[in-house]
Amino acid sequence: MGAEEEGLAFIHPFDDPYTICGQGTIGVEVLRQCPDLANLHAIFVPVGGGGLLAGIAAFVKQVAPEVLVFGVEPEDSNCLAVALDRGHRVTLDKIDGFADGVAVKTVGAETFRVAREFCDGVIQVGNDEICAAIKDVFTSTRSILEPAGAVGLAGLKPGHLLQDLPGQGSAIKISSAVLRQCLQRLRQL
């Protein structure tokens, strides 16, 4: 049974303007935690349906347009990259469920529109890169990320866009750990 049959409102998990705006508050927190924007060059956001990327990119580009915002997708679940390449939304025939939290066949209509306008590009990463990111986090913090939580970090690996970033500034990757920190701070308000 669906929400309509139950008399409930359906709130889309990523393709709703209010959901996108809510996810954009993470962009607020990122900029609040990096007051010296001269040293913040890029934000790497994992992409599933695109709501998180759309919200963060729309906010950041309005407040700090010089900060680059990249989406990061698993190469076998790359519905946004394919859609941007073709100029319209597509439905992938199949997806790899390894990073299941970002494994989506079709990017949202609104998220695609917003990402097309505000996102600086999409980086595609393989499962080996995602595993390497999980290992890096475990080695340094003894925390174990789920694959979807490691996608943003995998986008920072050598061979992607990092070497093209200006100066020696920092880059922020959005992961499940960053999301938890932002939610904790929001609950304290």
Side-chain angles (χ1 to χ4, degrees), residues 9-20 23 49-51 89 104 106-111:
F10 174 72
I11 300 171
H12 202 286
F14 55 82
D15 201 27
D16 177 88
Y18 293 115
T19 302
I20 293 167
Q23 292 174 330
R89 293 171 59 224
V104 176
T106 309
V107 69
E110 184 65 10
T111 60

Side-chain angles (χ1 to χ4, degrees), residues 44 72 123-134 136 147 149-158 160 173:
F44 295 77
V72 185
I123 299 167
Q124 297 178 60
V125 295
N127 287 347
D128 289 346
E129 292 169 297
I130 295 169
C131 288
I134 292 169
D136 289 346
V151 167
L153 178 59
L156 280 168
K157 292 289 189 183
H160 295 297
K173 59 101 181 167

